[in-house]
Amino acid sequence: MTAKRILILGAGFGGLAAANKLRKSLSQDHRIIVIDRKKSFMMGLVNLWILAGSRGLEDSQTPIDGLNSRGIEYLNDEAVKIDPDSSRVQTAAHGWITYDYLVIALGSELAPERINGFVGRGFNLYDSSQVPALREKLLAIKRGRVAISIMGLPYKCPPAPYEAAMIINDILTKNGTRGTIDIDMYVPSPLSLPIAGPKVSADVVATIEKYGIKFNPSCKISSVRDGEIEFEGGRKETYDVLVGIPPHRSPDVIKSSGLTTREWISVNRQTMRTDRKNIFAVGDVTEIKVGQSAIPKAGIFAEGQAKAAAGQIINEINNDKSEASFDGQGFCFMEIGGRQAGYVKADFYNPDGPLLSLEPPSEANYEKKHDFERSRIREWLL
Ligand SMILES: Cc1cc2nc3c(=O)[nH]c(=O)nc-3n(C[C@H](O)[C@H](O)[C@H](O)COP(=O)(O)OP(=O)(O)OC[C@H]3O[C@@H](n4cnc5c(N)ncnc54)[C@H](O)[C@@H]3O)c2cc1C
């Protein structure tokens, strides 16, 4: 058997899960190389703990070079071009790197600039560097309105904006200012979680309304001015603090590579293979249609897809004809403040259609959320 070189683009959820599974199953003569422009890994869900004040940004970073001691080669570099016809990737600092197998796990990018007037006026909840200042602002205001706007679909971790709303409620309550500050959520779709259907969406709305948070459906933001948001159709609302979940887009290197003519990469929903030779794609950069919707952008799905892609590559290298398979199952936590969390559980490949439910909040689930982070960092990087 000739030794293979497996190149993984991105050291987030998908890239780290794929690299570790490959390393555990393949002998050392097969090289596994991971490229990421970042030097450290932090899960997106930590943003909510920074918001809540239970975590600092600096204490939450794990160096990605921990991969090297596991026999996985890490290159801190930028992938600038993918050339599927020659099976190679161009990087900013290391030039062209050839591969036998490529796993694309580059995630999604945030595009706050697509919302006219938002940058400089609102806080981007998904940009961890802005969350400490958002928390300071929430602690400083005495009255007014916090507006939380989901600015486009799809976005990462569909329950996260609702978690943020309830954590903000908790912050303001503890600060003694909740009585004079309204919290309003503005959502582009008629349902709170379109992917989860009407029943779970209604449960989510009932959960936030219990805390006096107002749900405003079908509000597509068009622009932001000082103290005022405007929605498509002309509706205007005031804000004192604006929290945005900006539109998401795929990384530029994907579009320029010719791997998709749309925003996201289409893959085989079991093996995560693309239609290009020996290229797999996993996680937020992909789109897997289920009914009218698509599998949500969440770490748990990126991880499951990465394990399937890695399993398929291992089978092929070992001349094993069996097919690896992503099972379409996962869950997303929904924290409500006060050390309590529920979660949305999903089975997207259920033969009778996607099956989703909302599990009620408990302290045990809150602990599970912390363990979710700890166990993966231990398994992937330490
Ligand atoms: C507030 C918040 C809460 C969340 N909560 C949850 C939760 O409870 N459960 C859950 O499952 N998910 C949650 N998520 C979603 C989860 O973080 C993402 O879905 C997940 O990170 C996607 O994994 P990925 O591997 O596809 O991409 P990512 O983890 O985003 O990794 C992509 C990597 O590619 C790198 N990269 C991109 N372009 C280049 C390039 N050109 N060259 C080199 N490197 C590049 C990036 O630096 C990055 O490290 C949450 C997200 C947020 C923001």
Side-chain angles (χ1 to χ4, degrees):
M1 187 195 302
T2 53
K4 302 289 184 201
R5 180 186 288 182
I6 303 147
L7 189 56
I8 300 174
L9 303 184
F13 256 90
L16 293 174
N20 278 281
K21 179 163 170 125
L22 288 160
R23 189 66 293 162
K24 278 185 198 140
S25 306
L26 294 174
S27 58
Q28 291 295 329
D29 48 334
H30 299 292
R31 288 179 68 184
I32 300 160
I33 303 171
V34 175
I35 297 177
D36 200 300
R37 60 185 170 206
K38 284 192 194 157
K39 289 190 170 159
S40 61
F41 172 73
M42 186 189 98
M43 284 190 185
L45 53 78
V46 174
N47 283 14
L48 298 169
W49 297 335
I50 297 171
L51 177 65
S54 61
R55 247 319 165 75
L57 183 55
E58 293 310 318
D59 334 322
S60 304
Q61 312 287 333
T62 308
I64 301 173
D65 65 8
L67 287 175
N68 291 320
S69 60
R70 303 179 149 248
I72 298 164
E73 297 166 56
Y74 158 61
L75 296 182
N76 179 219
D77 204 343
E78 170 103 18
V80 290
K81 196 168 179 163
I82 300 168
D83 178 359
D85 296 330
S86 310
S87 300
R88 58 184 191 154
V89 171
Q90 188 179 25
T91 62
H94 293 83
W96 288 97
I97 301 177
T98 57
Y99 60 80
D100 296 293
Y101 291 94
L102 179 67
V103 180
I104 302 174
L106 291 172
S108 54
E109 289 186 356
L110 304 172
E113 70 287 350
R114 285 191 188 168
I115 304 299
N116 189 14
F118 172 66
V119 176
R121 293 191 174 92
F123 293 90
N124 177 349
L125 177 70
Y126 279 20
D127 177 348
S128 54
S129 69
Q130 295 191 26
V131 180
L134 166 60
R135 180 174 162 78
E136 288 308 308
K137 178 80 182 175
L138 291 166
L139 289 171
I141 59 160
K142 300 288 175 244
R143 59 187 54 78
R145 173 182 285 166
V146 177
I148 303 168
S149 169
I150 298 173
M151 299 173 157
L153 298 173
Y155 64 91
K156 288 188 254 200
C157 191
Y162 301 94
E163 296 185 272
M166 288 183 280
I167 290 169
I168 290 171
N169 167 70
D170 201 42
I171 294 169
L172 300 177
T173 304
K174 286 181 183 146
N175 203 31
T177 50
R178 180 66 175 100
T180 50
I181 300 176
D182 292 332
I183 307 175
D184 269 80
M185 290 207 64
Y186 300 98
V187 174
S189 47
L191 298 177
S192 61
L193 293 181
I195 179 69
K199 163 80 178 75
V200 173
S201 289
D203 291 347
V204 168
V205 173
T207 306
I208 61 167
E209 284 180 346
K210 253 197 332 219
Y211 297 96
I213 297 160
K214 192 163 172 233
F215 178 67
N216 298 273
S218 304
C219 287
K220 288 188 191 154
I221 196 162
S222 58
S223 63
V224 177
R225 285 181 288 279
D226 288 341
E228 189 179 74
I229 323 169
E230 185 163 347
F231 299 96
E232 283 178 18
R235 178 174 166 183
K236 292 179 185 157
E237 295 291 348
T238 59
Y239 70 85
D240 295 276
V241 182
L242 174 59
V243 184
I245 293 82
H248 289 31
R249 62 177 175 84
S250 70
D252 291 337
V253 62
I254 296 303
K255 291 201 196 119
S256 62
S257 69
L259 280 164
T260 179
T261 49
R262 297 148 51 92
E263 190 72 29
W264 311 106
I265 304 178
S266 297
V267 288
N268 175 296
R269 69 180 217 159
Q270 311 289 353
T271 61
M272 311 309 293
R273 185 188 274 291
T274 68
D275 58 5
R276 304 306 297 265
K277 184 173 167 242
N278 288 356
I279 300 185
F280 294 77
V282 302
D284 289 1
V285 77
T286 66
E287 180 179 62
I288 300 178
K289 288 277 184 201
V290 278
Q292 299 301 307
S293 220
I295 291 199
K297 301 199 179 304
I300 190 80
F301 297 116
E303 179 185 1
Q305 294 164 5
K307 287 180 175 167
Q312 184 61 29
I313 294 170
I314 294 161
N315 288 349
E316 292 184 18
I317 289 177
N318 291 332
N319 279 323
D320 174 348
K321 299 286 173 230
S322 51
E323 288 229 311
S325 184
F326 169 54
D327 64 7
Q329 293 178 14
F331 56 88
C332 252
F333 289 103
M334 196 157 126
E335 201 170 328
I336 62 167
R339 297 180 58 82
Q340 299 273 312
Y343 57 92
V344 180
K345 202 168 128 195
D347 177 0
F348 285 105
Y349 295 169
N350 176 49
D352 299 325
L355 198 61
L356 288 98
S357 58
L358 178 61
E359 302 298 315
S362 67
E363 188 159 351
N365 286 335
Y366 177 80
E367 289 303 334
K368 269 191 208 156
K369 187 174 179 185
H370 280 266
D371 192 53
F372 180 81
E373 183 209 24
R374 264 193 305 265
S375 59
R376 280 159 180 80
I377 288 178
R378 207 182 311 122
E379 189 187 335
W380 295 339
L381 288 168
L382 299 183

